Amino acid sequence: MKTTRVIIVAVGGQGNLLASKVLGEAALLADVPVRMSEIHGMAQRGGVVESAMVFGDAQSSIISNGEADVLVGFEPSESLRALNKCNAKTLVITNLSPLMPFTVNIGNGVYPDLDRLQELIREKTAKLIAFNASALAKEAGSIMAVNMVLLGALIQTGTLPLSADHVKEVIRTKTKKAFTTINLKAFDLGFSAARQHA
Amino acid sequence: MHKLLTDRAGEKMLLLGNEAIARGAVEAGVAFTSTYPGTPSSEISLNFFQMSQESDLYFQYSTNEKVALEVAAAAANAGLRSMAVMKHVGMNVAADALMTLAYVGVKAGMVVLTADDPYMFSSQNEQDNRFYGKLSGLPVLEPSTVEEAKALVPYAFELSEKLKEPVILRTTTRINHSTAVVTLDSIPPRVTKGTFKKDPFNLVTVPAVSRKLHAKLLEHIKEAKALSETSPLNFIEGEGAWGIVCNGVSFAYVKDAIKDLDVAEKTKVLRIGFSHPMPEALIQQFLKNCQKVLIVEEGEPYMEEAVKAFAQQDGNTVEIRGKGEGLFSRLYEFDPQTVRECIAAYFGIPYTKPVPVDVSDVPEVPARPPTLCAGCSHRATYHAVKKAVEGMDTIYPTDIGCYTLGVLPPLSMADFLLCMGSSTGTAGGFSKATDQKVISFIGDSTFFHSGIPGLINAIFNNHDLTLVILDNGTTAMTGHQPHPGVDMSRLHLEGYGRLSIENVVKGLGVPFVTKIKPYKVKKSIEAIREAVQFKGVSVVISEEMCVLYAKSLGLAKGKPFRVTDKCKNHRECLSIACPAFFIWDGKVNIDPDLCTGCAVCAQICPENAILPVKKP
């Protein structure tokens, strides 16, 4: 089976690890080989969380620079930071709602201009799908569902050997019951958004 | 029911490496488990802890790794399968016990898990613990995948019982924190009660006994070597003339590289999973007919040195390389690309590197360093100490925990750190060697772990220092594990004791002890000033629960604050680097969603401009 490498980057607390767990469980359900890895040094203390997911026939669970087929960023500046994981053929999906790093908040550092950020990613990679996933998460019922919005967008692109049904089945059975409705709605909103912004 | 207690053999489950290891232990019938938490091993213990709540598995959070190893060693000598779990540097703490446990051996299987951390994602060094196998004489096993991590645990227990020695299971972060699909095996019943049979002339390591035991250990090493020679964990794949010897996670990168470079016809791979003792004859056999050999291992050239020595013994002059210029580094973690590139370079395989996008014109993305949480009590304590010692020439020895993040400006409250507990010992040294004022910091869990001996030393040797114990009621950094000072009833757990840090410190005879509530800024500054002025050993216990922990227990009651119009933009509030603050339109603001209402900033503001958010 073809190997597809996906990097997901987020800020601690954005639900990156749950998102990759859902994809991993969906792969198990669909009988797709999957290996994943997480880097979350001190995520609870405001750091960056990176997940690598390798679908298909490969043994490695991490992804070298320039070797991601897909980059999903839950936060725009983090998508930009992770650009070294991409190559000219990479598909990038990013949330456009910033979470200001503390360094910027107190005046040490400048947050990248969002238009320029999209231009740069568009120039350097095969395709960029960018939209305000946080707004859609709120529309679905909780900002916490931003991870599900981006999963919806990722699945819509058809780059993974996983169907929306597989992922939704996992959302129904493996995420917290109290959030199932919100999560499913968020997934659908992200799915439609990717189609619109493609 | 805990998912790792699922008794359905054949079922497939998506598991984190650490979950797979915990499951492997359960499938091996482990009865007695212990740990001191440390990343990247922490989730193994967390799962043991959770499973012990709903089964007859015994688990304890021990005071430190040495104690964790000792309780497990005793259990194994009373006939229970036992496992002690620690991070790589924890093994240093346990090493004193481990070295002689190798002489004494075990009656039932015992596994010591050490989780190495190449690249130091969350550690102070990246030492290679395979050398503990050589140093102690104990067998070392290393998994290459998450699936194998589970399978290796029962193998390790059986090996331990065959040799009557504990077995070291060595992982790296990349195994602990990877996830894959694992097939479950069945769970055997546990033997949870043993009997200790007296045998002092084999178990009490006085010199005359140890002389005999060392000879016995050498016999066991010989036996282990024979097992390593034929172990299924040391295997050869392929038949080419290019030889690759690898271990651990590198095996996955090597396999992918051989496929990507399309050289399967030309290469053969020796995967070493039983890495102490190394399989000498197997390696010598493997080297025969090789044109060139490459050793792929993260960390130190542990296998490389052995393979070269075995080749020399055998009179084989084949070229063998591993670490060195143009090849592999002793630094950090490997990745698929590095391994692919080194294999291509060494064997002269044509290869075009992937081209990452050019990021030279991408503006610098502002850093997102981990910071102390909004409302963290450590920030409040650091502010109070700073104010109390204004104008003094100070040294701040620090310790291992969240509070080490105080090293970052603008707090800049950490000057020296070696290891767990080093704050108390090094403080004594600095106080004697200099005329600077020494104020050292240690967390509550670290204090119990290994801070106490340094404090005793300071009292006995009459050092002049102030020790600030940052008591936030939990082991925060690794995920809120309990320690001997924790109120376990808050977690609805019964049957535990509880030690008061104040009683311990007073019991040791510290002449000046004071307690502060760090959110009370003025009072705290005054108390610290008094402690710092005291000639001799003084201890300040700063008591305030970790905000994250308080939140998880439903005890967080603070209401958010806001910056009012009275603000004159002095920005003194920013000196404490609370992430709830942000500047908007040239003015300081507080994010009400992040603010926990600790009110430290409100007490710092010279204009009293920071007030609680009005209720709507």
Side-chain angles (χ1 to χ4, degrees):
Chain A
M1 184 185 279
K2 188 176 151 276
T3 308
T4 309
R5 298 183 168 87
V6 182
I7 295 269
I8 305 179
V9 288
V11 175
Q14 282 193 303
N16 177 345
L17 299 183
L18 178 64
S20 38
K21 193 183 153 204
V22 167
L23 284 180
E25 292 282 0
L28 173 57
L29 201 64
D31 213 13
V32 170
V34 64
R35 296 192 174 275
M36 20 202 275
S37 190
E38 53 195 60
I39 295 170
H40 56 105
M42 293 185 246
Q44 269 193 315
R45 282 114 194 124
V48 182
V49 189
E50 183 186 301
S51 306
M53 308 198 66
V54 182
F55 298 89
D57 295 327
Q59 301 296 313
S60 308
S61 67
I62 58 173
I63 300 169
S64 299
N65 289 347
E67 300 196 343
D69 296 303
V70 187
L71 167 67
V72 184
F74 288 15
E75 201 280 342
S77 75
E78 292 311 326
S79 300
L80 192 61
R81 199 197 306 277
L83 211 52
N84 62 338
K85 290 286 178 194
C86 303
N87 57 51
K89 290 181 185 164
T90 306
L91 162 69
V92 181
I93 302 169
T94 188
N95 182 8
L96 283 178
S97 171
L99 281 173
M100 288 296 160
F102 176 61
T103 44
V104 171
N105 281 341
I106 58 166
N108 302 332
V110 182
Y111 195 88
D113 176 75
L114 283 183
D115 290 332
R116 178 77 189 123
L117 178 147
Q118 293 176 71
E119 253 172 53
L120 280 166
I121 299 176
R122 216 166 257 134
E123 265 169 34
K124 293 168 190 295
T125 61
K127 188 175 180 184
L128 171 68
I129 298 174
F131 59 96
N132 190 333
S134 302
L136 295 182
K138 278 183 201 153
E139 191 187 324
S142 165
I143 182 71
M144 296 300 292
V146 73
N147 51 359
M148 298 299 143
V149 173
L150 287 154
L151 278 193
L154 171 62
I155 294 302
Q156 192 279 333
T157 64
T159 41
L160 298 188
L162 301 173
S163 71
D165 289 343
H166 286 133
V167 177
K168 284 174 150 182
E169 175 63 18
V170 173
I171 294 174
R172 267 189 289 271
T173 54
K174 302 268 177 175
T175 68
K176 279 192 186 141
K177 289 280 165 287
F179 292 104
T180 308
T181 314
I182 294 173
N183 283 341
L184 287 171
K185 190 171 175 200
F187 180 90
D188 286 338
L189 287 171
F191 195 93
S192 317
R195 195 180 289 145
Q196 281 166 32
H197 294 267
Chain B
M1 188 177 64
H2 193 284
K3 73 172 180 185
L4 298 183
L5 291 172
T6 308
D7 199 5
R8 287 193 294 271
E11 185 169 315
K12 285 182 175 178
M13 227 181 234
L14 186 74
L15 295 182
L16 184 69
N18 279 341
E19 291 173 328
I21 292 165
R23 171 67 190 196
V26 171
E27 289 179 4
V30 72
F32 193 105
T33 53
S34 58
T35 198
Y36 183 82
T39 312
S41 76
S42 303
E43 296 88 356
I44 304 173
S45 323
L46 176 68
N47 281 290
F48 283 156
F49 177 51
Q50 291 165 342
M51 286 189 278
S52 74
Q53 305 298 311
E54 44 183 289
S55 71
D56 57 0
L57 172 69
Y58 178 77
F59 170 76
Q60 68 165 247
Y61 280 112
S62 308
T63 322
N64 63 31
E65 293 86 353
K66 178 172 182 282
V67 177
L69 188 94
E70 288 161 348
V71 293
N77 268 287
L80 303 189
R81 281 197 163 185
S82 75
M83 186 160 172
V85 176
M86 58 201 70
K87 68 183 289 174
H88 61 330
V89 287
M91 196 78 151
N92 301 333
V93 179
D96 199 3
L98 183 77
M99 296 306 296
T100 308
L101 176 62
Y103 281 26
V104 169
V106 292
K107 302 288 178 284
M110 174 171 173
V111 173
V112 182
L113 184 127
T114 163
D116 288 17
D117 190 17
Y119 191 70
M120 299 163 277
F121 289 102
S122 43
S123 306
Q124 67 268 36
N125 76 26
E126 54 177 349
Q127 68 184 48
D128 186 333
N129 273 9
R130 289 176 296 174
F131 286 100
Y132 271 113
K134 262 187 144 168
L135 188 62
S136 64
L138 297 176
V140 176
L141 306 180
E142 301 179 70
S144 288
T145 62
V146 170
E147 302 91 306
E148 199 185 17
K150 177 177 86 75
L152 240 58
V153 189
Y155 181 92
F157 274 104
E158 277 155 34
L159 179 65
S160 169
E161 284 174 5
K162 210 175 279 173
L163 293 169
K164 304 210 174 340
E165 293 286 357
V167 168
I168 298 171
L169 182 53
R170 184 243 188 190
T171 61
T172 58
T173 305
R174 198 48 57 205
I175 298 292
N176 300 94
H177 286 172
S178 281
T179 298
V181 176
V182 173
T183 306
L184 304 184
D185 289 297
S186 57
I187 301 178
R190 278 174 283 274
V191 179
T192 55
K193 207 43 107 184
T195 321
F196 176 71
K197 282 198 198 101
K198 285 175 189 280
D199 183 14
F201 298 105
N202 283 305
L203 298 176
V204 180
T205 51
V206 294
V209 172
S210 289
R211 281 180 208 118
K212 193 173 69 182
L213 294 181
H214 191 192
K216 182 191 77 176
L217 173 62
L218 295 188
E219 285 304 311
H220 287 169
I221 295 173
K222 209 188 277 174
E223 238 177 284
K225 189 167 183 179
L227 292 170
S228 176
E229 295 284 7
T230 55
S231 168
L233 303 183
N234 297 329
F235 58 84
I236 296 169
E237 280 185 2
E239 288 180 350
W242 296 342
I244 296 176
V245 183
C246 57
N247 71 324
V249 72
S250 302
F251 179 55
Y253 307 151
V254 165
K255 281 186 80 153
D256 283 349
I258 289 174
K259 191 174 138 214
D260 295 346
L261 296 167
D262 197 18
V263 290
E265 304 284 290
K266 294 178 183 157
T267 41
K268 63 174 174 177
V269 177
L270 170 58
R271 202 296 301 261
I272 300 289
F274 191 146
S275 57
H276 187 264
M278 289 280 276
E280 183 172 356
L282 180 71
I283 289 169
Q284 286 168 339
Q285 194 55 41
F286 177 81
L287 296 178
K288 284 193 178 110
N289 311 321
C290 275
Q291 283 169 4
K292 264 179 128 180
V293 178
L294 185 65
I295 317 286
V296 190
E297 57 185 325
E298 290 176 332
E300 300 301 321
Y302 170 91
M303 296 196 302
E304 185 181 340
E305 285 170 3
V307 171
K308 284 176 174 170
F310 296 152
Q312 201 272 345
Q313 286 277 330
D314 205 29
N316 188 336
T317 56
V318 64
E319 182 183 308
I320 300 164
R321 294 279 182 279
K323 305 286 174 181
E325 209 144 303
L327 289 174
F328 292 107
S329 174
R330 285 162 71 170
L331 296 171
Y332 316 142
E333 189 181 49
F334 290 176
D335 70 296
Q337 153 63 14
T338 310
V339 171
R340 200 187 306 132
E341 199 177 338
C342 285
I343 290 176
Y346 184 66
F347 294 108
I349 307 161
Y351 165 62
T352 5
K353 277 168 76 164
V355 188
V357 300
D358 173 18
V359 292
S360 58
D361 62 337
V362 170
E364 195 186 335
V365 180
R368 217 181 273 275
T371 56
L372 295 172
C373 305
C376 174
S377 56
H378 301 328
R379 175 180 296 107
T381 308
Y382 282 145
H383 173 75
V385 172
K386 253 188 177 172
K387 288 290 162 192
V389 303
E390 251 170 7
M392 291 172 84
D393 185 7
T394 54
I395 306 174
Y396 300 125
T398 191
D399 227 302
I400 293 187
C402 291
Y403 48 95
T404 324
L405 293 173
V407 69
L408 297 174
L411 289 174
S412 308
M413 291 299 282
D415 292 324
F416 198 77
L417 171 64
L418 297 175
C419 62
M420 289 287 286
S422 71
S423 62
T424 56
T426 58
F430 284 122
S431 79
K432 277 290 167 195
T434 71
D435 283 330
Q436 290 158 286
K437 182 65 207 176
V438 180
I439 299 142
S440 62
F441 298 98
I442 193 168
D444 42 354
S445 187
T446 310
F447 176 73
F448 286 114
H449 177 283
S450 51
I452 296 171
L455 182 57
I456 293 173
N457 181 66
I459 300 165
F460 174 65
N461 287 303
N462 197 26
H463 294 316
D464 180 22
L465 57 88
T466 300
L467 175 67
V468 181
I469 303 175
L470 301 154
D471 181 3
N472 63 359
T474 185
T475 315
M477 191 58 150
T478 46
H480 301 118
Q481 292 86 352
H483 63 68
V486 166
D487 181 357
M488 296 296 274
S489 67
R490 282 218 168 101
L491 302 167
H492 312 292
L493 294 171
E494 283 165 17
Y496 290 90
R498 187 185 178 194
L499 280 80
S500 138
I501 292 179
E502 187 181 3
N503 287 349
V504 171
V505 170
K506 285 184 170 160
L508 296 179
V510 173
F512 186 104
V513 182
T514 186
K515 251 169 128 168
I516 61 167
K517 289 279 175 193
Y519 289 164
K520 295 187 172 162
V521 175
K522 243 192 199 148
K523 275 192 174 168
S524 297
I525 297 172
E526 278 161 27
I528 294 166
R529 200 172 278 144
E530 219 185 314
V532 168
Q533 274 156 8
F534 181 83
K535 235 6 214 161
V537 178
S538 59
V539 168
V540 177
I541 303 168
S542 178
E543 253 183 19
E544 185 62 55
M545 192 182 277
C546 164
V547 279
L548 291 182
Y549 187 53
K551 215 177 182 181
S552 73
L553 294 178
L555 296 171
K557 291 186 208 80
K559 298 275 181 288
F561 278 61
R562 70 199 164 99
V563 183
T564 64
D565 299 345
K566 288 201 284 178
C567 170
K568 295 230 169 83
N569 236 347
H570 299 286
R571 299 198 176 181
E572 280 182 38
C573 48
L574 295 185
S575 70
I576 52 171
C578 174
F581 278 85
F582 64 97
I583 295 168
W584 189 253
D585 219 3
K587 284 282 194 185
V588 174
N589 286 270
I590 295 172
D591 182 344
D593 292 333
L594 289 179
C595 178
T596 66
C598 75
V600 170
C601 57
Q603 297 166 69
I604 291 172
C605 177
E607 305 293 337
N608 292 320
I610 303 177
L611 297 171
V613 172
K614 277 186 218 146
K615 285 197 186 113

